[in-house]
Amino acid sequence: MGSEAEHRIPVINFNEESFKPGSDSWVLACKYVRYGLEKFGCFEIVYDKFSSELHNSIFGAAEDFFDLPKETKMQKVSDRLGSIGYIADSPTDPLYETVGIDNTTTLQGVDHFLNIMWPAGNITFRESVHSFSKRVQGFHELVTRMVCENYGVEGLFNSVFENFVYSFRFFKYNRTQTKVGEVGLVAHTDISFISILHQHEVEGLQIKTKDDHWIDVKPKPSSFVVLAGDVLQVWSNNKVRSCEHRVIVKEDKVRYSVGLFTVAQGVIQVPDELVDDEHPLKYKPLDMAEYTRFTIEAGAAKQASRLKAFYGI
Ligand SMILES: O=C(O)CCC(=O)C(=O)O
Ligand SMILES: [Fe+2]
């Protein structure tokens, strides 16, 4: 068993200076991003400028959505393979409800969803989902740029970043009364390049360390959890491992969380620069459509070993 410090994920302060490549804050943040991703597959961003209005309005929007009648929530919102739409509680996760909305970094993407769910409009939902997505897309851009710089492939940033679309997700874990301590969402990795989560007041998110400890990631109004997904694991040739995480019921209260996930497209290949005699190629090219189909068929339980099984060399 390691010490306390070894089980603490890095907390990185982002401010306007951190957004300027080459600045002192940028260079320091790059180091912590690398440490967090390589050691834990995750780290926390603290962004003091994130307004409490947006924090409150995004969770107000979550409540608004989950309060809609079930028949309304169940309507189809996307034809994209891997787009989940609305998922009601299931046998494996009976407390969990979620909805995925594509392309919320554009107002057209938000409006497409709104026209289906609220044909008469919902201006607060529209503005909060769009503003939240733009803000968090900024973090995706920054982290992707830092990852490229950390591995000496700054020149690849545009081709990597341009290849992303975004899936926005709301999560709700219903009250249980008798189930404190039980699993709200089973352990899994995400198929994204990275996932960025923002939790409401009720804790529950846990990440697994390499030595099999579950550690709590507590909610804070200005903090965001960045998790490495399967695509980053493949792209980085195993320098970064995708982060296994789960949700545990900690309190007898409804829990809300929100996230923005990068959805990579086309074929993911390890850059030549990340392969040498000491670091031989670990993955065959990964076709996203095919991998998405595999993950839908295999289900959450098989996720830990699926990358190696399907694409390992
Ligand atoms: O509820 C959360 O904070 C995490 C949800 C999650 O990990 C997922 O649905 O992939
Ligand atoms: Fe997840």
Side-chain angles (χ1 to χ4, degrees):
M1 217 212 283
S3 71
E4 268 286 292
E6 279 180 59
H7 289 140
R8 214 167 294 144
I9 66 168
V11 177
I12 309 175
N13 265 304
F14 277 9
N15 49 40
E16 296 316 311
E17 224 221 359
S18 334
F19 285 84
K20 292 184 200 129
S23 68
D24 289 350
S25 301
W26 165 277
V27 172
L28 194 65
C30 278
K31 284 195 187 133
Y32 281 118
V33 164
R34 181 171 188 158
Y35 170 75
L37 289 177
E38 292 186 356
K39 187 165 166 70
F40 299 99
C42 88
F43 60 90
E44 204 177 307
I45 291 173
V46 171
Y47 184 66
D48 287 334
K49 286 222 170 114
F50 186 68
S51 74
S52 53
E53 288 79 25
L54 188 49
H55 172 79
N56 292 332
S57 70
I58 198 69
F59 290 110
E63 275 186 62
D64 263 11
F65 174 76
F66 289 115
D67 285 348
L68 287 171
K70 195 159 180 179
E71 319 78 76
T72 310
K73 291 187 281 192
M74 296 291 291
Q75 293 174 100
K76 190 173 170 67
V77 288
S78 169
D79 289 325
R80 182 179 64 78
L81 174 72
S83 170
I84 55 154
Y86 173 68
I87 299 182
D89 47 299
S90 69
T92 44
D93 298 303
L95 309 174
Y96 171 78
E97 280 182 81
T98 185
V99 63
I101 317 175
D102 282 349
N103 303 322
T104 52
T105 52
T106 67
L107 278 171
Q108 293 94 303
V110 183
D111 284 343
H112 172 75
F113 181 82
L114 267 184
N115 291 338
I116 297 170
M117 298 297 164
W118 284 280
N122 181 336
I123 189 76
T124 16
F125 185 100
R126 182 178 198 254
E127 281 172 7
S128 51
V129 170
H130 182 246
S131 307
F132 179 91
S133 303
K134 291 297 285 179
R135 173 70 279 154
V136 178
Q137 184 193 28
F139 298 148
H140 275 277
E141 175 171 353
L142 191 66
V143 171
T144 306
R145 215 181 259 287
M146 288 178 172
V147 167
C148 289
E149 184 169 315
N150 281 338
Y151 297 121
V153 289
E154 296 90 330
L156 297 183
F157 166 76
N158 283 338
S159 60
V160 173
F161 192 68
E162 275 164 19
N163 187 31
F164 296 153
V165 294
Y166 295 91
S167 171
F168 174 95
R169 298 272 297 273
F170 277 133
F171 309 101
K172 178 178 184 183
Y173 301 79
N174 290 290
R175 278 186 78 206
T176 59
Q177 301 191 318
T178 54
K179 290 198 173 165
V180 170
E182 292 208 0
V183 174
L185 178 62
V186 291
H188 65 282
T189 60
D190 296 339
I191 76 169
S192 56
F193 186 78
I194 49 177
S195 310
I196 303 189
L197 299 172
H198 180 61
Q199 306 178 76
H200 196 220
E201 290 154 359
V202 179
E203 62 180 288
L205 181 66
Q206 295 190 322
I207 67 122
K208 197 177 187 181
T209 61
K210 283 184 182 163
D211 56 354
D212 290 342
H213 278 76
W214 285 104
I215 47 180
D216 295 326
V217 185
K218 304 220 173 181
K220 283 174 229 133
S222 55
S223 94
F224 298 80
V225 188
V226 181
L227 303 171
D230 293 348
V231 169
L232 177 51
Q233 176 169 324
V234 170
W235 181 87
S236 71
N237 204 24
N238 274 359
K239 285 189 163 40
V240 175
R241 295 297 174 106
S242 61
C243 182
E244 200 172 337
H245 55 288
R246 68 179 183 186
V247 174
I248 294 291
V249 177
K250 294 273 187 159
E251 295 173 62
D252 178 17
K253 283 189 188 153
V254 172
R255 174 175 180 274
Y256 290 101
S257 183
V258 53
L260 192 73
F261 298 70
T262 43
V263 181
Q265 302 180 92
V267 176
I268 308 303
Q269 299 208 53
V270 179
D272 291 342
E273 294 85 339
L274 272 66
V275 181
D276 57 31
D277 290 344
E278 267 174 63
H279 307 95
L281 183 67
K282 299 276 189 332
Y283 295 101
K284 299 176 212 153
L286 180 153
D287 179 272
M288 279 313 291
E290 180 188 62
Y291 186 52
T292 306
R293 251 179 260 116
F294 283 151
T295 57
I296 296 168
E297 285 158 19
K302 302 215 178 76
Q303 290 191 6
S305 55
R306 68 194 177 192
L307 267 183
K308 198 162 183 298
F310 295 138
Y311 299 100
I313 287 181

